[in-house]
Amino acid sequence: MKIIVADNYNALSQIGADLVIGLLKTKKNAVLGLATGTTPIGLYQKLIEAYKQGIVSFKQVKTVNLDEYVGIEKQNEQSYAYFMRKNLFDYVDIDLNNTHIPNGSAQNLQKECIDYSLLLTKTRQDIQILGLGSNGHIGFNEPFTAFDSKTHLVKLSQQTINDNARLFESKNQVPTHAITMGISEIMAAKRIILLASGKNKAKAVYDAINGGVNAKCPASVLSLHSNCTFILDRESASML
Ligand code: GLP
């Protein structure tokens, strides 16, 4: 596992974006695994800048997102589908038909998980971008999720609900369930980039890197991947 400690959030975002830009320059039809959360927003802004400067195009790019809340329609501003449009898709030349996000308001959620899993077997990520939960989760794979898990329905932990409450009007508006790509499907990516910024991620970063491979910290599985880079800022790296 490679660890890069950037000076600040802007530098972290640029380093992450440069890895994606490098891929898109050599592989126009790359598959990008995308993450939501506040951490990758800066990276997406850098990708938009690169697109506007004519450095990259998303015309042939396919994307697969990690996760989506259950019970929130994709038009809802709190959905991850809306997040992706407002933070990336609306500003680049991507074909929305090539973008994939689990449907958290599907009638049959179990079937949605199976269908998304099937899609992933045919759409392997060239790069998977990850954020990190303060409890070490990746996607919405909470502590003690099986490492061989595929796309599944999860009940969010109280810590995750508390962390994500800042993005809702009140804690009781935070969905209690989500659909997430499984750990084995994240690990199937050819390359993984995990971004972590800020002091509240320092313990999870420490556990992921120094705690040994342990289901208690899902991100610790990443040390078993052959091409994974952690891009941190000084605060998130402060316990290393
Ligand atoms: C959510 C997402 C994760 C993300 C995490 C951290 O739980 N499902 O994919 O990594 O939030 O979010 P933030 O980057 O806002 O700290």
Side-chain angles (χ1 to χ4, degrees), residues 138-159:
I138 46 177
F140 268 132
N141 291 285
E142 297 283 29
F144 303 108
T145 303
F147 287 165
D148 63 358
S149 56
K150 295 189 170 167
T151 302
H152 61 286
L153 189 62
V154 280
K155 185 176 187 317
L156 301 179
S157 70
Q158 197 54 51
Q159 188 171 341

Side-chain angles (χ1 to χ4, degrees), residues 11 29 35 45 75 98-99 105 109 121 125 127 153 166 182 195-196:
N29 62 347
Q45 283 170 354
Q75 296 78 9
N98 289 335
T99 67
S105 47
L109 293 169
T121 60
Q125 312 92 308
I127 286 186
L153 189 62
R166 71 188 197 283
L195 307 175

Side-chain angles (χ1 to χ4, degrees), residues 106-113:
Q107 283 276 323
N108 184 338
L109 293 169
Q110 295 300 348
K111 181 174 181 302
E112 176 64 17
C113 292

